[in-house]
Amino acid sequence: MGDALNLALREEMRRDPRVYCIGEDIVLGLPFGVTKGLVDEFGPERVLNAPISEAAIVGSAMGAAVTGLVPVVDMHFADFVTCAMDEVVNQIAKSRYMFGGQLDCPLTLRMPYGIGRSGGGHHSNSVEAWFVNTPGLKVCIPSTPADARGLLKTAIRDPDPVLVFEHRGLYRVTGEVPEAETPVPLGAADVKRPGRDVTVIATARMVHASLEAARRLAEEGVEVEVVDPRSLVPLDREALALSVRRTHRAVIAEEGPMRASVGAWLAWVIMEDCFDDLDAPIVRVAAPDVPIPFSPPLEGFVTPDADDVVAAVRQTLK
Amino acid sequence: MAPGPDLLLQMYAGMLRVRLFEERVRELFANGRLPGFLHTSIGQEACAVGACAALRADDYVLSTHRGHGHLIAKGGALRGLMAELYGKANGVCHGKGGSMHLADASVNYLGANGVLAAGCVLAPGVGLSIKRRGSAQVVVTFFGDGAANRGPFHEGVNLAAVWTLPVVFFCENNRWASSTASSLSAAGGSIAARAAGYGIPGETVDGNDVLAVWEATTRAVLRARRGEGPSLIEARTIRWVGHFEGDAQAYRTKAEVEEGRRTDPLARLGRLLEARQLLDAAHAGRIRAGVVAEIDDAVAHAETSPLPAPQDALADLFASYPWSR
Ligand SMILES: Cc1ncc(C[n+]2csc(CCOP(=O)(O)OP(=O)(O)O)c2C)c(N)n1
């Protein structure tokens, strides 16, 4: 998936000279290789290593975006967006609305995030819910290389700010990427596996955990449908409802903590759109409400996985 | 103001302890014994040891992602630290923290930090509580040259200055923030010079000279204890190894690492001690053997300690839990 994101950046930088990348250590492609080699093709004017100054990185990106450039910010680890929270939430998110629609803010924030490899408390967080809860931001969250490339391309072309959540555990995931340049529209969910018995709505790494759960459950004759919203704002409510209306059962799986999360909101969406179609209460899979601990057994305990999805699916079938 | 023979020998052993500890954890990491990310301070020992040697046991330290040396120099037990790096249940944070996110309150080490410059704004609060108590303690907050480009550095220095708080801002300038050269990211060419803007003393020292570090920190600490407010120290040093373990270091030349080894702070103090006839080969050998034994013990202890029970992940979130889930 990392290579697919790299490809998307190259394609968009070739297509539009206004596009530039900015972040910490991105010239060498740190920390996850996504921007590797871009400087060779596009030069240091369009691949900017910034000082460690998150507020200035993100704030300057907005300044540039409202005056004619198209920045793609690498947040390094999404955890550090906390250091630019005002810029994202008060400045960028409100720039169009508060000023009565005068300003375009075509800005992309790449958010490497997620649990894994004992990153510890400041390097593991799933923070997408904060931004879904911030009006004025679009939020997408790919699970495959093709979706990652397609969504990042769309994000860069969008006249509004878009956050792209890239699970750092998926950078090495491989998959087909179409020959042609195919942007994936925001607000278009994708059925990653069809099934008639239970709908599992999952994002990013949990899509893979859910596919694994679906394979296991298929051996017992339970056919799970895995639906990946791909973008959270805007959300493809139609596609989610379509699936749940057929299966009558829903599991919602995410990696972030349980309380007031994306899954909590999706559960309400399903409740509102499909209440009469549901044959069982919606079951949620999420991390417990604690920071992410360092030690492998502790980290493993708080990491939602395929076992959790299997258990949740079974619960909806009880 | 010069350190006496005991303190010199103590700083020598201290630097050796940091050096050998860091070398051992690199080895353990390479052998897959330690989870997570690892940043070591090899080459920068004089900063941690020289600064902490100027402190009392009840003074506070705030640290960074490259914090093992600061904790060891502050007097942290190697067992608790090593067990934490292993993610063991009896690690100093019970496996919750790990290398980059650990604290040891028993020696007033208020935390490594995964977020750069975070300590710079915590420090004024520590200073405030010291001032209220009238305890004449001091807090030293360490940070890198890269972190000095973040807002919290400026906000913290300003607050400590305007409220005359007993804080020492200690910048370890090792020329690099990961792969980004300080010269390309820090305007003005000097971190220490930034102090002038806030009306506090700012001093640049040779961070590979433990005596210079000790002296500068002692000056800053005495000033803070007298109630005269904060100081900023910029110690110029060289990190000998990658930013993190596994860093290919494509951004810098071998010459820089060689320069580091030539200006080795440990060897430098060793030579000084020999010249003053405070240390000979036999004595140095005994010091080394003692440190090696301590580290061996910490490793053996960590190796044989249990991992935490998975459900311990739910413990310690709050002082008490008035609800069930
Ligand atoms: C706020 C924040 N931004 C980015 C990072 C990622 N990061 C970790 S260490 C590092 C370089 C730090 O350089 P410096 O402050 O000079 O300290 P050094 O590593 O040289 O000790 C970066 C960019 C972080 N941990 N926190």
Side-chain angles (χ1 to χ4, degrees):
Chain A
M1 189 172 98
D3 291 346
L5 289 160
N6 182 278
L7 179 63
L9 290 172
R10 282 178 197 274
E11 287 169 349
E12 293 309 302
M13 290 178 85
R14 280 175 203 145
R15 193 185 56 80
D16 183 349
R18 297 173 308 159
V19 178
Y20 72 98
C21 293
I22 181 168
E24 291 159 12
D25 302 298
I26 64 168
V27 165
L28 281 179
L30 294 167
F32 302 111
V34 174
T35 55
K36 204 166 182 171
L38 293 182
V39 75
D40 301 328
E41 183 172 349
F42 303 103
E45 287 216 330
R46 295 180 69 196
V47 185
L48 299 174
N49 261 5
I52 301 168
S53 307
E54 285 77 12
I57 291 171
V58 176
S60 72
M62 168 168 161
V66 298
T67 55
L69 295 182
V70 179
V72 182
V73 178
D74 182 322
M75 210 62 247
H76 208 79
F77 277 73
D79 306 67
F80 307 140
V81 76
T82 50
C83 303
M85 214 52 183
D86 174 64
E87 287 68 29
V88 179
V89 168
N90 274 321
Q91 312 305 328
I92 290 169
K94 293 171 183 150
S95 61
R96 181 182 299 280
Y97 181 85
M98 208 165 66
F99 300 143
Q102 300 176 74
L103 298 179
D104 274 356
C105 188
L107 177 157
T108 302
L109 271 185
R110 294 187 32 250
M111 307 283 277
Y113 84 102
I115 305 181
R117 292 188 43 219
S118 287
H122 295 160
H123 291 80
S124 302
N125 294 287
S126 300
V127 299
E128 63 274 22
W130 301 349
F131 303 100
V132 169
N133 192 242
T134 300
L137 301 173
K138 297 178 180 176
V139 180
C140 60
I141 180 161
S143 65
T144 67
D147 288 352
R149 174 189 179 218
L151 286 168
L152 181 55
K153 289 170 74 71
T154 302
I156 294 171
R157 294 180 192 188
D158 199 287
D160 285 311
V162 184
L163 278 67
V164 182
F165 279 88
E166 306 169 5
H167 196 291
R168 61 184 176 83
L170 297 181
Y171 282 128
R172 297 269 173 85
V173 162
T174 55
E176 297 257 319
V177 171
E179 195 69 39
E181 290 197 23
T182 37
V184 172
L186 299 178
D190 190 39
V191 175
K192 295 299 184 195
R193 176 188 172 116
R196 58 170 193 275
D197 297 325
V198 180
T199 297
V200 177
I201 301 167
T203 50
R205 190 182 59 78
M206 291 313 292
V207 171
H208 299 271
S210 301
L211 290 171
E212 162 67 19
R215 278 189 289 275
R216 284 200 238 153
L217 286 158
E219 288 166 18
E220 301 170 16
V222 176
E223 290 300 331
V224 169
E225 176 147 303
V226 179
V227 183
D228 178 356
R230 299 198 292 190
S231 95
L232 299 171
V233 183
L235 179 71
D236 189 351
R237 291 176 71 139
E238 286 296 300
L240 306 187
L242 209 66
S243 175
V244 175
R245 285 196 191 111
R246 278 193 293 102
T247 62
H248 307 290
R249 290 177 162 80
V251 166
I252 299 170
E254 66 191 315
E255 189 180 279
M258 187 64 97
R259 201 181 298 137
S261 71
V262 168
W265 166 59
L266 293 179
W268 169 80
V269 167
I270 298 301
M271 195 276 298
E272 188 168 81
D273 291 354
C274 311
F275 187 72
D276 292 333
D277 302 288
L278 286 170
D279 285 348
I282 297 165
V283 179
R284 290 185 48 212
V285 173
D289 290 305
V290 292
I292 308 304
F294 164 79
S295 182
L298 303 178
E299 186 191 51
F301 183 81
V302 303
T303 306
D305 59 15
D307 289 344
D308 297 320
V309 177
V310 169
V313 168
R314 291 217 172 98
Q315 200 178 324
T316 64
L317 291 166
K318 257 197 222 142
Chain B
M1 194 168 50
D6 288 350
L7 186 57
L8 287 175
L9 282 166
Q10 191 189 314
M11 290 199 287
Y12 179 79
M15 284 202 284
L16 189 65
R17 189 177 287 112
V18 175
R19 169 76 51 88
L20 298 183
F21 182 91
E22 297 284 48
E23 284 177 352
R24 186 70 67 89
V25 296
R26 290 189 74 207
E27 205 178 294
L28 292 166
F29 187 84
N31 293 333
R33 304 303 303 157
L34 307 181
F37 312 123
L38 193 71
H39 306 80
T40 70
S41 62
I42 298 180
Q44 305 182 199
E45 298 87 353
C47 297
V49 171
C52 290
L55 299 181
R56 303 195 314 222
D58 68 342
D59 288 330
Y60 295 97
V61 162
L62 286 155
S63 174
T64 69
H65 59 291
R66 202 178 299 289
H68 308 157
H70 305 143
L71 175 53
I72 294 169
K74 189 67 182 52
L78 298 193
R79 277 189 169 199
L81 170 59
M82 187 65 89
E84 186 64 26
L85 302 188
Y86 269 81
K88 294 298 178 82
N90 52 4
V92 68
C93 303
H94 311 301
K96 294 253 176 47
S99 170
M100 247 195 300
H101 312 92
L102 65 82
D104 186 347
S106 71
V107 293
N108 283 356
Y109 177 89
L110 298 178
N113 216 305
V115 182
L116 297 168
C120 291
V121 281
L122 304 182
V126 179
L128 194 65
S129 84
I130 292 170
K131 201 172 172 179
R132 282 274 283 277
R133 278 196 302 277
S135 56
Q137 290 161 288
V138 168
V139 53
V140 176
T141 181
F142 290 98
F143 55 98
D145 49 284
N149 297 321
R150 284 206 58 231
F153 161 73
H154 294 275
E155 297 183 26
V157 172
N158 181 62
L159 188 62
V162 79
W163 288 352
T164 326
L165 298 170
V167 181
V168 179
F169 293 90
F170 194 107
C171 178
E172 289 179 66
N173 184 346
N174 62 12
R175 305 180 185 179
W176 295 96
S178 186
S179 72
T180 302
S182 182
S183 56
L184 298 178
S185 53
S190 160
I191 307 295
R194 295 178 181 187
Y198 299 100
I200 65 168
E203 185 173 352
T204 304
V205 295
D206 178 350
N208 298 327
D209 177 355
V210 74
L211 292 189
V213 172
W214 178 86
E215 280 170 19
T217 313
T218 299
R219 268 193 297 280
V221 163
L222 291 178
R223 177 180 140 85
R225 289 205 211 288
R226 287 194 303 267
E228 292 168 18
S231 307
L232 170 61
I233 296 168
E234 175 183 357
R236 303 254 168 128
T237 182
I238 298 174
R239 112 169 110 67
W240 292 11
V241 293
H243 167 58
F244 57 90
E245 285 312 296
D247 177 4
Q249 302 186 65
Y251 48 87
R252 70 171 176 180
T253 62
K254 286 218 172 66
E256 183 178 318
V257 178
E258 280 156 22
E259 183 191 340
R261 289 182 192 276
R262 265 202 318 279
T263 55
D264 180 353
L266 182 61
R268 183 164 170 175
L269 180 58
R271 282 194 301 274
L272 181 122
L273 288 168
E274 279 168 28
R276 294 197 190 167
Q277 303 193 333
L278 293 169
L279 190 72
D280 57 24
H283 190 181
R286 281 197 303 279
I287 295 176
R288 175 177 282 266
V291 170
V292 169
E294 241 184 296
I295 294 169
D296 285 345
D297 167 73
V299 172
H301 172 259
E303 284 280 347
T304 54
S305 292
L307 285 164
Q311 63 274 17
D312 287 349
L314 303 181
D316 283 337
L317 187 64
F318 294 117
S320 67
Y321 295 77
W323 62 85
S324 61
R325 58 180 250 162

